Amino acid sequence: MRIVVLRTSRLAAESIARFICHSVREQPDLVLGLPTGRTMIPVYAGVARQHRRLRADFSRVTSFNLDEFAGLEPGHRGSYRAFMDRHLFSRVAIASGQTHFPGEHGTAPRAYDEMISRAGGLDVCLLGIGLNGHVGFNEPAARLTPYTHHVKLMPSTRRANSYLFGGLSEVPRVAVSMGIGTILRARRIVLLATGKDKSAIVRRALSGPVTTRVPASLVQLHPNALIVLDSAAARGLLGP
Ligand code: GLP
């Protein structure tokens, strides 16, 4: 695990945006695992802004989002599909047939893992981290599910996602998430965390024991993981 700390959240997001663009330029048929969340908004804005200059052509890229709410109407404004269309897909000309979300079009969760395998597996899986240490929607638990599955969302996770909806009551209670095994099989993992609110969970995830109670701590087991933090999120790691 390599940890890179950059001074500001803007620098951290831009370094990930450049990393994605370079990866696409090197490998035009890249298979990407993609997260949503507020941390990723400046990353996707950076990709949108810089991809032409960095000669990253997304027309052959395939993407698999980490998670999606269950039971929303297609095109619902709170869906992660709508988030990705708004922040990335409409801005880099990736064909919508090459972008995938778990549970979309009524597909069984496990079929998602088969689709990822058929695409050759994830080359790069970008990750955020929830305040409770979740990755995708793999919530802290005594046991984690390795493959794509339905999840009952924790109240804190529903609250953290209420910015996408009219209010907390509209946030679905169930979602579909890639499993931790699906994520750890990616050839490369890149995790981004920014802001002081994340410093405590970043410390637990990266310097605490590997435990299903902090799903992001399993990233410590990955042979090719890059962690990018801003100085606020890294504060707990660097000591007082
Ligand atoms: C959401 C998503 C995660 C994301 C996390 C952090 O619930 N399901 O994939 O990494 O929470 O979100 P944010 O960047 O808004 O803190």
Side-chain angles (χ1 to χ4, degrees):
M1 187 170 69
R2 194 162 82 89
I3 302 180
V4 173
V5 180
L6 294 166
R7 200 161 39 80
T8 65
S9 58
R10 197 170 63 85
L11 291 173
E14 291 208 336
S15 82
I16 304 266
R18 279 196 304 275
F19 172 86
I20 294 172
C21 291
H22 286 142
S23 303
V24 170
R25 193 179 62 194
E26 300 278 288
Q27 191 182 330
D29 61 353
L30 197 74
V31 181
L32 276 170
L34 293 175
T36 51
R38 279 182 273 215
T39 312
M40 298 301 153
I41 294 175
V43 173
Y44 296 148
V47 172
R49 211 172 37 245
Q50 301 186 63
H51 72 287
R52 280 197 197 86
R53 186 173 58 77
L54 297 175
R55 284 181 285 125
D57 172 3
F58 280 74
S59 62
R60 289 172 55 208
V61 167
T62 303
S63 71
F64 290 91
N65 262 76
L66 291 170
D67 44 16
E68 180 58 289
F69 297 104
L72 294 179
E73 296 288 310
H76 190 289
R77 68 191 161 89
S79 67
Y80 281 166
R81 158 73 71 187
F83 177 102
M84 293 303 298
D85 283 345
R86 192 159 60 239
H87 293 291
L88 184 68
F89 297 156
S90 63
R91 304 166 75 185
V92 296
I94 184 170
S96 72
Q98 285 159 221
T99 63
H100 307 90
F101 288 77
E104 202 174 38
H105 312 306
T107 51
R110 288 297 291 275
Y112 203 57
D113 293 309
E114 285 157 27
M115 286 162 75
I116 294 171
S117 297
R118 274 202 303 275
L122 301 176
D123 292 305
V124 175
C125 188
L126 180 58
L127 296 177
I129 178 171
L131 284 172
N132 62 5
H134 70 236
V135 284
F137 273 138
N138 293 280
E139 298 278 33
R143 286 152 181 248
L144 295 178
T145 307
Y147 37 80
T148 303
H149 59 289
H150 281 105
V151 207
K152 188 169 178 303
L153 298 177
M154 289 187 159
S156 61
T157 301
R158 292 185 61 239
R159 261 195 311 280
N161 279 277
S162 60
Y163 73 101
L164 295 168
F165 294 85
L168 183 58
S169 61
E170 286 181 36
V171 183
R173 289 169 193 282
V174 178
V176 187
S177 181
M178 266 187 210
I180 203 77
T182 322
I183 292 169
L184 289 176
R185 272 196 302 279
R187 285 183 266 284
R188 181 137 211 220
I189 283 182
V190 180
L191 185 148
L192 171 66
T194 55
K196 65 174 176 358
D197 293 354
K198 296 282 172 74
S199 68
I201 195 64
V202 161
R203 185 172 56 75
R204 288 179 67 201
L206 302 182
S207 62
V210 174
T211 165
T212 62
R213 298 288 176 191
V214 183
S217 69
L218 276 90
V219 169
Q220 293 182 41
L221 302 175
H222 194 276
N224 193 2
L226 169 68
I227 317 294
V228 179
L229 307 171
D230 68 351
S231 49
R235 210 166 48 185
L237 283 182
L238 301 174

